[in-house]
Amino acid sequence: MNEKRQKSRNESASKNDESGETADVFVRGFEASAAVCESENLASTANMMEEILDTENLKQAVKRVMQNKGAAGVDRLTVEDLPPYLAANWKRIRQELLHGTYAPQAVRRVEIPKANGGMRQLGIPSVVDRFIQQAMQQVMQKHLDPQFSQYSFGFRPGRSQHQAVEQAQKYVSSGLRFVVDIDLEKFFDTVNHDVLMGRVAKRISDKRVLRLIRAFLNSGMMEEGLVTLTEEGVPQGGPLSPLLSNLLLDELDKELEKRKLSFVRYADDCNIYVASQRAGERVMQSLTLFLRKKLRLKVNEAKSAVGRPWERKFLGFTFTRERVPRRRIAPAALERLKVKLKEMTSRKRGNTLQQIVRELSVYLNGWLNYFGFCQTPTVLQHTGSWLRHRLRCLVWKRWKTSSTRFNKLREMGLSIGLAKEGAGNGSRGPWRMGSSPPLHQAFSVQYFRNLGLPDLMNAVKA
């Protein structure tokens, strides 16, 4: 396992080195002109474009775009095409950016399924536009992030979903046992461009940067060869969109701070914690009005509510009812996990048990990296037991006949009596057989550990 990890680290380092080399390809030869920019006062946002075009910032942007990979935009250029394209065209692009005449391409519309059903609309910029947005994001983040609220956790350096959940837990522990759960209706699709640009202009004075942001917002969306104008919304899929969303919603944060309310926000998920149902209803009513009038945003009434923290979910987690609440995985998240595990362990897939366990290991390790943050391991113990039971049923059904089952169990070291019991008969279904002592002995917890199946019970981080 350690050798595999080291190999993975070496491969990752090799990829980083390669992206660093490709980043040098297009900036080589432009360092002299960039050095002139470095002598200017970059602390002021009046010269933000020069800071964006700084050599080191551009190199970091190329590396980040190449590491993130991603699909091609409307021009079908891939991330591998980016360095040679920039080497041939950078001088022209740079002049257009400096003079405020750069025109982004339309974004390519794609749809991906949401975890809780429905489809999420993404707008994939061209790889060149992604590079420019990434360079902008790095500089704008440095200027804007220190101004954001300490209770905003989404898409910010050094902040995470786990920290947001922990902050919510502190509020509940302090005695605030009601939550105002606000869900913004199609937030990224309905952002008003004029409202957003008004907030951007209060923080950034470089007119070229403002024009470029507006150009990205109005670049249009292409679907099936047709481009439609985008008069509202911030397309998800570009590096700049999360920062712009934080900039807009920072006004909500400031309003909540002014009212001295206890809140936590991660992107467009915002929870406010109060002491009573009546207080929560007042906050919900006033904030719904504030969002509509000030930011032109609509609260999704079907998904928003005032309730108990243990009845609502936040970033996939909820809390226990105890005086000192513990973090637990939201029931909907557990249900989605089971649906996914059923798909991966379907008998129709035809993979061997070893192949299935390898796939499960990759998926579960990623899932546990996030949900292992819970503090109620019993539910993970039950889920792990259910998964092993399902795998036992899968093998038993694949053996098909009683004689095959008997011989296989004997090969695994079971006695004749246990092997006969494990072979079963027509009157006992696979689910009952999966819980029988012979199959438990043959396919023990240790057996699955040796195959590499993660132990959910022992994966809890807190």
Side-chain angles (χ1 to χ4, degrees):
M1 182 63 71
N2 289 335
E3 291 177 1
K4 288 182 180 178
R5 286 194 186 122
Q6 188 59 45
K7 183 179 178 183
S8 175
R9 290 193 193 102
N10 292 339
E11 288 175 353
S12 176
S14 175
K15 289 178 182 177
N16 289 341
D17 291 342
E18 289 174 7
S19 61
E21 290 173 6
T22 53
D24 289 336
V25 169
F26 93 95
V27 295
R28 196 176 295 133
F30 296 111
E31 294 189 8
S33 59
V36 175
C37 302
E38 289 166 3
S39 67
E40 299 198 20
N41 178 17
L42 301 180
S44 168
T45 61
N47 296 315
M48 185 175 279
M49 184 60 76
E50 281 74 17
E51 192 174 357
I52 290 168
L53 298 177
D54 172 70
T55 301
E56 287 304 316
N57 186 55
L58 295 175
K59 288 169 69 174
Q60 288 300 315
V62 173
K63 288 172 67 175
R64 183 64 61 85
V65 169
M66 297 195 70
Q67 287 169 2
N68 290 345
K69 300 184 183 297
V74 295
D75 58 5
R76 297 298 173 184
L77 282 179
T78 65
V79 290
E80 289 77 15
D81 299 324
L82 179 60
Y85 181 88
L86 290 175
N89 296 276
W90 178 242
K91 190 172 183 180
R92 170 186 59 80
I93 294 171
R94 184 176 183 277
Q95 288 302 310
E96 290 176 355
L97 291 169
L98 284 170
H99 291 97
T101 59
Y102 181 81
Q105 298 186 70
V107 299
R108 182 167 68 89
R109 178 178 174 176
V110 296
E111 289 185 339
I112 60 171
K114 291 182 179 180
N116 56 354
M119 302 298 290
R120 186 185 304 280
Q121 182 176 290
L122 298 184
I124 309 299
S126 72
V127 68
V128 177
D129 288 341
R130 287 211 298 275
F131 157 68
I132 294 172
Q133 285 193 33
Q134 181 63 40
M136 295 172 68
Q137 187 271 345
Q138 290 167 181
V139 172
M140 289 172 61
Q141 185 94 51
K142 182 174 67 176
H143 282 280
L144 301 178
D145 192 78
Q147 305 172 35
F148 292 157
S149 169
Q150 64 175 313
Y151 303 110
S152 165
F153 293 88
F155 310 119
R156 298 182 63 190
R159 290 171 172 262
S160 68
Q161 290 170 298
H162 287 172
Q163 291 174 337
V165 174
E166 270 188 318
Q167 182 61 53
Q169 185 178 13
K170 289 176 183 176
Y171 290 140
V172 180
S173 297
S174 73
L176 300 175
R177 294 297 176 116
F178 290 85
V179 59
V180 182
D181 185 356
I182 293 180
D183 183 272
L184 296 176
E185 189 169 307
K186 297 181 179 179
F187 169 71
F188 284 94
D189 298 332
T190 59
V191 169
N192 182 284
H193 289 176
D194 292 333
V195 172
L196 173 59
M197 290 307 302
R199 273 59 184 177
V200 176
K202 289 180 180 179
R203 312 284 182 96
I204 297 172
S205 57
D206 192 326
K207 302 295 185 185
R208 298 162 300 178
V209 175
L210 296 177
R211 281 196 295 269
L212 186 55
I213 294 172
R214 173 73 80 166
F216 277 121
L217 293 174
N218 295 337
S219 61
M221 186 170 289
M222 178 178 285
E223 185 177 21
E224 297 180 355
L226 297 176
V227 176
T228 55
L229 296 179
T230 46
E231 297 179 350
E232 63 178 9
V234 179
Q236 296 183 73
L240 203 53
S241 298
L243 179 59
L244 292 177
S245 69
N246 268 339
L247 181 57
L248 179 64
L249 291 175
D250 185 58
E251 186 155 345
L252 171 62
D253 299 341
K254 295 296 189 287
E255 177 67 18
L256 294 171
E257 288 175 344
K258 187 173 74 174
R259 299 186 189 185
K260 294 182 169 35
L261 290 169
S262 300
F263 75 97
V264 57
R265 183 175 66 79
Y266 190 95
D268 56 330
D269 286 334
C270 185
N271 279 6
I272 303 103
Y273 293 85
V274 295
S276 69
Q277 178 78 21
R278 186 175 179 182
E281 289 170 355
R282 284 199 306 267
V283 169
M284 176 68 81
Q285 185 177 13
S286 62
L287 287 182
T288 299
L289 186 63
F290 172 84
L291 287 164
R292 186 173 72 245
K293 287 194 170 183
K294 280 280 189 177
L295 301 181
R296 308 278 185 87
L297 296 172
K298 185 178 179 182
V299 171
N300 187 329
E301 295 182 4
K303 294 183 179 180
S304 302
V306 179
R308 295 291 198 173
W310 46 86
E311 295 171 348
R312 308 295 298 177
K313 62 182 177 67
F314 181 56
L315 302 176
F317 290 92
T318 184
F319 304 104
T320 62
R321 295 171 178 256
E322 300 156 327
R323 186 177 62 83
V324 180
R326 291 175 294 154
R327 299 183 297 271
R328 65 185 182 95
I329 303 169
L334 283 171
E335 186 57 36
R336 287 195 296 271
L337 172 66
K338 281 199 169 185
V339 169
K340 180 64 177 178
L341 295 181
K342 284 179 181 178
E343 291 175 0
M344 297 180 75
T345 56
S346 171
R347 187 169 45 139
K348 297 177 182 178
R349 298 188 66 213
N351 294 352
T352 65
L353 179 62
Q354 289 74 15
Q355 289 172 329
I356 291 171
V357 169
R358 279 198 295 271
E359 291 177 9
L360 287 170
S361 176
V362 172
Y363 178 78
L364 285 172
N365 281 327
W367 189 88
L368 288 168
N369 190 49
Y370 183 73
F371 285 105
F373 187 61
C374 76
Q375 296 172 311
T376 52
T378 303
V379 69
L380 292 179
Q381 181 183 22
H382 292 160
T383 303
S385 177
W386 170 85
L387 176 59
R388 290 189 296 271
H389 190 160
R390 185 170 174 82
L391 290 171
R392 293 184 188 106
C393 292
L394 172 68
V395 175
W396 191 84
K397 285 190 287 186
R398 283 184 171 178
W399 286 343
K400 294 185 178 179
T401 65
S402 294
S403 58
T404 300
R405 292 163 185 159
F406 175 82
N407 292 331
K408 291 288 187 181
L409 291 172
R410 286 289 288 153
E411 289 173 11
M412 296 184 74
L414 267 64
S415 66
I416 293 176
L418 280 174
K420 283 183 178 179
E421 183 183 346
N425 55 59
S427 63
R428 302 179 70 185
W431 190 254
R432 285 184 63 193
M433 291 305 304
S435 61
S436 66
L439 265 72
H440 265 268
Q441 182 173 322
F443 298 98
S444 64
V445 173
Q446 190 58 51
Y447 175 87
F448 286 115
R449 281 178 186 158
N450 292 341
L451 284 184
L453 187 69
D455 189 342
L456 301 188
M457 177 65 176
N458 295 325
V460 175
K461 300 175 183 177

